[in-house]
Amino acid sequence: MDQQPYIPGMSPADPGPLSRFIPPLEEGVISVWLPLHASPFDEAQGRPGSWLLDPFGFSPRLVLEAARSGYRVLVTVNNPVTRFLLEMSANPPSESDFKAALAELETAKKGDERLGTHLRSLYLTLCQKCEKEIQAQSFLWRKGEDAPYARVYECTECGDTGERAATQQDIDRAKKIAGTDSLHRSRAFERVVSLKDDDRIYAEEAIEHYLPRPLYFLHTVINRLDGLSLTPERRRALNAMILVACDAGNTLWGYPSERLRPKQLNIPGQFREHNLWTQLERGLSLWLETASGVVCEAWPNKIPESGGICIYEGRLKELAHEVKKEIPIAAVIGAVPRPNQAFWTLSALWAGWLWGREAVEPYKIALRRRRYDWAWNATALHAAFSHLFELLPLGTPFFGLLPEPEPSFLTSALTSANAAGFDLQSLAMRTEHDPVQILWARGEHLKRETSAANIEDIREAIYSHLLERSEPASYLHVHTAGLIALTESHAVKNKEQEFDEAMRQTQALIQRALSEDARFVHYSTGENVDTGLWGLNHGILSEAKNRLPDEGDSSAPSAALSDMTDSLSDRVEIAVVTFLQKNPNRIYLEIEEDLYPRFPGLLTPSKAMIYAVLGSYAEKDGAAWKLRPEDAAAARRNELITITAMIETVGTRLGYATRRQEKNILWIEDEQIQYAFYVLASALIGRAILETPHPPPPGQTLIAIPGGRAALAAYKAQRDPALGARMKNYQLVKYRLLRNLVEVPVLTRETFEEQLASDPLEKAKAQMLMF
Ligand SMILES: [Zn+2]
C-alpha cells in the first residue's frame, strides 16, 4: 500500500456552534489534499469548477474549506440541524441582523414586563458577599434531585466569584418553575410529534433531558417567535442563537469533569444548568465568528464555477441516479460518521422546536432508534459506500477523515468500504486524538471476490510495523496494522457474513494474533488485549536489527542503519533537529510538513513528541522556532570534547585509572571497570545503551546529557516502557553536575556518590506530555 503522509492542519481558533457534536477536524487539511488528487479544472466540461461530493455532510467547515478552494461541493444531508449549520456557516446573516433579532426578542412584552427581563429573572440569585440580586451563570444539580445544590456566579457589584451553595431562594425558584412543568413539557413534545403519534413516547423520553427551567425558557422564546415581526434573515439569526441555547439547556453537561463530547443521552451524576439568556448572547458571538460568505444553494439550483455548496436534502440513494446523469464527481470527501445517539435524538427534538413537525418527519427515525452499535454503523456505511460505487467512475478518490478513532470504528469503516468495492489506497494515523486520514478509490467490482482471513498475515503486518517503529505502539496502531493487512487481502468479510459477525471475527483474530505470539510484549496495567501498548520482545528486536544491516555492503547509507537501530522517537528527534539546523526560524506547521513525509502512515509522530523535541532544543521567536545557541552543532561538538575531558579529570582526581574505549570513558580500579561513561549531546538514550559495554560492567554505567535534554529523556522513558525498563541499569547525569564536580576543591568518592544521587531527572515536567 502507498504510504501517504499525514497532512497537518491547524486546530480552529474558535470551536463554533454545537462544536461538541461536530467532528473535531483540523483546518487546512482538505485544501492541501484536493489539488493533489482532484483537479479544480473540470476536464469533462473543459472549465474550472470540478465537483466534489460529501455524502455525509457532518462537517460544515470541511465543506466550506473545499468550496473556498474553488470546488463545487455537492453535500447530502438528512439531519435538518446539520443542514442548518451548513447553510448558516456558508452564508450567515449580518452582525446587525443578529443584534436586531436579539433586541426584538428582548423588548417583546411578557405581561407588563419585557420578555428579556422576565427570562433573566429566572436566573436571579443573591450574592453571598454583598447580598445584591445578580444573575447566576449556572446552577449545579445532582441527578434525580428536584433543586440545585449550588450556583456559579460572578458578582457585578462586588466581584465575588465562584461556586456557592444554593440558597433557599434558589431552591424555591427552581421548584416554582417545576410546578407548571407538565404543561410546558406537553407543548414541547407536541411541536415534535402529534399526540396520536406512535413515536410520542420517544419524544417524551428525549425531553426528559431538559430540566423545567430551561424547557420553560426555550418554549417561552419559541412560542413568541411567530408573534415577532422579523425579516427572514433576522428570523434565521434568532433561530441560530436559539439552537445554541437548545444545546446549552440540556442536562448533558457533566460537572466538574465535563464529558466534552457526549455520544449517549446519559444524564451525568452532577451537571451544570446554564443561564440560557447568557447562552443566547453567547450564540450571537459564536455565529459571528463563523462568518463566511460562500454561495450555498439547494439542489438542483446552480452554483458558480468559482466554487460553492449545493445541498441535497435527502438520502444518497435518491441522489445517485440524478448525479450519475448530470454531474461528474472528481472526488469524494467527508468526515466518516460515527454513531451519536445523543446528537441525532436531540437534532430531531430541536428541528421540531425550531421548524415544526414537518421538519422532523423525514428524520423522525432518529427519535426511535436508540441503540447504535458498530455493526449498525458498518451496515449504514456499507449502504452509503454501495450508493457511491454506483454513481462514481472507476478510480474516483475518496478522502475520508475518521474523527475520534478507536479500533471498532476503523474496523467498521474499512470493512464496509471494502465490502462495497472501494480499494484502500492509504491510511495515515497520528494518535487516538486525531482524525485518521484514509484514501480509498472506487474499485472495479461492487461485489468482489473475498478470501479467508489468515492470522499469519496479521502477525506479519504487526511485526513489521513494530520493527519499523523500534518502540511499542498503542493497541490502536497494531490493530490498524493488522486490519490493513486483512483489508488488502479482501479478508475482512465474506459474502455470507453479516457485519456484526465479520467484525467480531476480525477483532478476535487480531487479538489472538497478538496474545498468542511470543514475539509480542504487552505493556498494560489491565488484562485486556486492547489496552496499553504492544511492543516487540527485546531479544527479537535486537536480533532482527543485527541481522538486517552489515551485509558487507559498504555503500549502504548510514541512515538505513540508523533507521534500524533508533526508535521512532529518536528518529523524530534527529529529523526535527536536522531540519532546524538547515532551516532556522520556521513555524510549527512547516516542521510538521517536513517531518510527516519522512514518517508516513502509522508512523506519524504526535504533536507531543515534536513539542518535546522542540522544548529540548529550540526556542520560539514569535511563532518561529530556531535552535538554541548552545544547541548549534558546532557548540555541541566542542562541549562533547570538554565534558569528555572533565570526566577524565574527575576520574583521575578520585584515584581511578581512566581509559577511552570506543565511545566510552572507563574508570578502572584493580583492572575492573568501576564506572563507564557515555557522553550524549542528544537524548538518543537507546543508541547510548547499545554502545556502552555489554553486559554492563559490575560498577555503574552513566550517560551524560545536557540539562536541556533531561525532560526529553524522561518523556521518552515514560512513553516507551521497554526503554524505561532498560534505563533502570543506567544513570543519567547532567553536564552541569560534572562541571560542578570539577569545581569542588576536595573531591572524595563519597561526595561523588552523593552528588550523583542528588540530581534526579525532571520527571514532573515530562508527565504532562504523555502522547
Ligand atoms: Zn456581590
Side-chain angles (χ1 to χ4, degrees):
M1 191 175 67
D2 167 37
Q3 299 256 358
Q4 185 185 295
Y6 199 83
I7 302 172
M10 312 270 272
S11 296
D14 65 280
L18 267 49
S19 58
R20 62 184 186 150
F21 294 123
I22 301 299
L25 303 181
E26 287 188 324
E27 297 188 323
V29 174
I30 195 68
S31 52
V32 169
W33 183 84
L34 277 172
L36 299 175
H37 294 87
S39 159
F41 197 76
D42 181 342
E43 280 155 24
Q45 304 278 342
R47 60 187 189 202
S50 279
W51 281 92
L52 306 174
L53 171 63
D54 179 347
F56 307 122
F58 271 89
S59 172
R61 288 178 191 229
L62 181 79
V63 171
L64 280 177
E65 194 183 318
R68 279 205 208 95
S69 307
Y71 291 81
R72 292 188 280 190
V73 195
L74 178 58
V75 190
T76 53
V77 192
N78 77 327
N79 178 337
V81 170
T82 324
R83 176 190 172 140
F84 180 69
L85 285 178
L86 182 55
E87 285 172 342
M88 283 291 295
S89 314
N91 194 9
S94 67
E95 181 170 356
S96 60
D97 279 332
F98 272 103
K99 289 186 168 157
L102 192 59
E104 190 80 23
L105 182 74
E106 214 269 324
T107 53
K109 285 278 184 251
K110 165 85 180 171
D112 290 337
E113 60 181 348
R114 284 177 158 199
L115 186 60
T117 312
H118 171 67
L119 292 172
R120 272 192 286 249
S121 75
L122 303 174
Y123 299 98
L124 286 175
T125 191
L126 284 184
C127 171
Q128 189 161 300
K129 198 169 161 207
C130 73
E131 302 195 332
K132 295 259 168 50
E133 208 164 48
I134 53 167
Q135 288 276 299
Q137 292 167 329
S138 55
F139 291 101
L140 304 178
W141 291 70
R142 293 192 186 94
K143 184 179 175 176
E145 292 186 354
D146 62 356
Y149 70 89
R151 64 243 158 90
V152 178
Y153 63 74
E154 193 180 327
C155 179
T156 44
E157 304 290 325
C158 73
D160 187 40
T161 180
E163 179 188 329
R164 304 281 179 265
T167 63
Q168 191 57 45
Q169 192 206 35
D170 297 327
I171 294 166
D172 291 344
R173 202 184 295 277
K175 287 186 175 168
K176 187 173 163 230
I177 297 170
T180 61
D181 186 50
S182 58
L183 176 68
H184 302 295
R185 210 158 278 270
S186 59
R187 281 192 187 150
F189 75 66
E190 277 179 55
R191 282 191 77 92
V192 183
V193 290
S194 78
L195 282 169
K196 300 188 293 279
D197 199 302
D198 292 341
D199 291 323
R200 186 186 139 168
I201 175 89
Y202 302 114
E204 281 177 328
E205 277 176 31
I207 294 171
E208 286 302 306
H209 294 84
Y210 284 82
L211 288 172
R213 177 164 32 203
L215 197 71
Y216 172 78
F217 182 106
L218 291 169
H219 286 277
T220 303
V221 170
I222 287 164
N223 289 330
R224 291 309 290 270
L225 281 179
D226 293 332
L228 301 174
S229 54
L230 292 171
T231 63
E233 277 304 272
R234 290 183 184 177
R235 173 66 187 257
R236 213 155 74 90
L238 194 52
N239 276 349
M241 291 183 279
I242 296 170
L243 184 61
V244 169
C246 282
D247 185 33
N250 56 51
T251 50
L252 305 182
W253 297 91
Y255 180 88
S257 57
E258 322 223 338
R259 262 192 67 206
L260 291 173
R261 305 187 54 82
K263 306 282 186 292
Q264 302 288 327
L265 282 177
N266 292 331
I267 302 180
Q270 289 191 152
F271 58 90
R272 186 192 289 277
E273 179 204 351
H274 291 104
N275 177 329
L276 290 193
W277 187 267
T278 48
Q279 291 295 321
L280 277 182
E281 292 168 338
R282 180 173 152 268
L284 189 151
S285 58
L286 271 180
W287 283 109
L288 288 180
E289 279 161 7
T290 65
S292 193
V294 168
V295 177
C296 182
E297 291 285 348
W299 171 270
N301 293 343
K302 296 273 178 282
I303 50 172
E305 289 172 11
S306 55
I309 299 168
C310 182
I311 297 181
Y312 183 82
E313 190 180 20
R315 300 192 168 273
L316 191 57
K317 186 178 164 184
E318 290 125 36
L319 178 69
H321 301 291
E322 301 186 57
V323 165
K324 204 174 176 182
K325 281 190 302 220
E326 291 178 29
I327 298 179
I329 300 290
V332 179
I333 59 169
V336 181
R338 53 176 298 149
N340 193 324
Q341 179 236 7
F343 182 53
W344 297 347
T345 311
L346 291 172
S347 291
L349 271 194
W350 301 338
W353 291 352
L354 287 173
W355 304 294
R357 278 182 215 157
E358 317 76 64
V360 188
E361 200 53 42
Y363 194 65
K364 217 167 63 178
I365 193 163
L367 282 175
R368 214 175 310 155
R369 203 174 217 302
R370 310 310 293 274
R371 284 186 61 253
Y372 300 97
D373 58 15
W374 290 112
W376 177 88
N377 183 254
T379 311
L381 285 178
H382 179 251
F385 278 111
S386 303
H387 299 313
L388 283 175
F389 185 96
E390 294 297 343
L391 68 86
L392 297 175
L394 175 67
T396 310
F398 182 156
F399 186 54
L401 293 155
L402 194 122
E404 301 171 83
E406 53 184 288
S408 304
F409 190 10
L410 274 159
T411 309
S412 163
L414 264 50
T415 306
S416 54
N418 186 266
F422 279 78
D423 295 328
L424 181 63
Q425 306 272 296
S426 133
L427 185 151
M429 175 155 81
R430 197 159 60 187
T431 74
E432 59 184 312
H433 306 285
D434 306 297
V436 177
Q437 301 178 353
I438 308 178
L439 180 60
W440 286 288
R442 194 270 209 188
E444 282 187 62
H445 303 287
L446 176 60
K447 295 196 186 338
R448 62 167 100 242
E449 286 308 310
T450 57
S451 56
N454 182 347
I455 195 164
E456 288 312 319
D457 292 348
I458 301 175
R459 287 212 167 104
E460 278 322 296
I462 294 175
Y463 176 77
S464 349
H465 175 60
L466 290 176
L467 196 60
E468 220 181 344
R469 274 183 105 84
S470 283
E471 65 179 26
S474 74
Y475 175 76
L476 181 65
H477 281 84
V478 291
H479 176 94
T480 308
L483 185 62
I484 290 171
L486 285 181
T487 307
E488 289 186 315
S489 52
H490 307 303
V492 275
K493 176 181 176 297
N494 70 43
K495 285 171 188 163
E496 287 72 43
Q497 282 175 319
E498 295 291 335
F499 278 99
D500 59 348
E501 191 194 342
M503 287 172 64
R504 249 198 325 272
Q505 182 184 311
T506 299
Q507 213 90 347
L509 211 57
I510 294 174
Q511 300 199 358
R512 197 148 64 80
L514 279 167
S515 57
E516 294 176 5
D517 190 327
R519 292 179 299 176
F520 304 132
V521 187
H522 194 195
Y523 303 95
S524 171
T525 47
E527 301 247 310
N528 292 343
V529 175
D530 60 354
T531 58
L533 300 174
W534 283 89
L536 283 184
N537 186 311
H538 187 60
I540 286 171
L541 188 59
S542 22
E543 192 188 308
K545 282 172 178 175
N546 291 338
R547 216 172 34 230
L548 275 154
D550 282 347
E551 295 284 283
D553 178 7
S554 58
S555 67
S558 62
L561 175 68
S562 127
D563 279 1
M564 287 316 303
T565 54
D566 291 330
S567 66
L568 175 64
S569 44
D570 287 353
R571 280 178 277 153
V572 169
E573 179 181 336
I574 295 169
V576 171
V577 174
T578 309
F579 176 74
L580 285 180
Q581 269 165 358
K582 292 181 187 154
N583 309 277
N585 297 310
R586 294 306 182 99
I587 62 165
Y588 181 79
L589 190 64
E590 291 174 302
I591 299 169
E592 282 184 319
E593 281 166 356
D594 174 76
L595 209 56
Y596 289 171
R598 301 172 196 276
F599 302 97
L602 300 182
L603 297 177
T604 313
S606 69
K607 282 179 184 287
M609 192 195 285
I610 300 171
Y611 276 118
V613 175
L614 289 174
S616 176
Y617 283 89
E619 58 193 13
K620 219 173 157 185
D621 182 5
W625 288 94
K626 61 167 193 258
L627 291 179
R628 290 200 187 89
E630 69 266 30
D631 281 316
R636 278 296 172 210
R637 266 196 302 276
N638 288 336
E639 207 174 25
L640 276 177
I641 296 168
T642 315
I643 295 295
T644 305
M646 280 179 177
I647 292 171
E648 288 172 331
T649 308
V650 172
T652 309
R653 283 179 60 192
L654 292 175
Y656 296 109
T658 68
R659 192 170 82 215
R660 293 193 192 186
Q661 183 180 297
E662 290 175 0
K663 295 190 173 173
N664 300 277
I665 305 135
L666 308 177
W667 289 0
I668 297 164
E669 191 171 59
D670 302 333
E671 297 184 5
Q672 286 267 341
I673 300 173
Q674 302 299 324
Y675 290 94
F677 287 85
Y678 187 100
V679 187
L680 267 180
S682 64
L684 304 181
I685 309 290
R687 195 187 277 190
I689 289 176
L690 215 63
E691 293 177 349
T692 50
H694 283 277
Q700 277 207 47
T701 306
L702 295 100
I703 299 172
I705 55 170
R709 294 299 165 267
L712 179 57
Y715 164 78
K716 286 185 185 176
Q718 250 187 358
R719 201 174 166 278
D720 176 351
L723 176 68
R726 272 183 291 148
M727 276 169 69
K728 290 214 168 71
N729 298 324
Y730 299 81
Q731 184 165 2
L732 300 192
V733 287
K734 294 179 198 156
Y735 288 2
R736 192 185 54 219
L737 179 83
L738 293 160
R739 287 203 195 89
N740 291 346
L741 285 172
V742 172
E743 302 294 319
V744 176
V746 186
L747 186 61
T748 65
R749 293 185 182 185
E750 287 71 33
T751 48
F752 174 70
E753 283 292 336
E754 278 165 28
Q755 290 288 317
L756 275 190
S758 69
D759 194 37
L761 284 184
E762 295 143 61
K763 290 219 164 70
K765 200 176 165 193
Q767 204 93 42
M768 309 178 58
L769 300 159
M770 258 317 275
F771 306 97

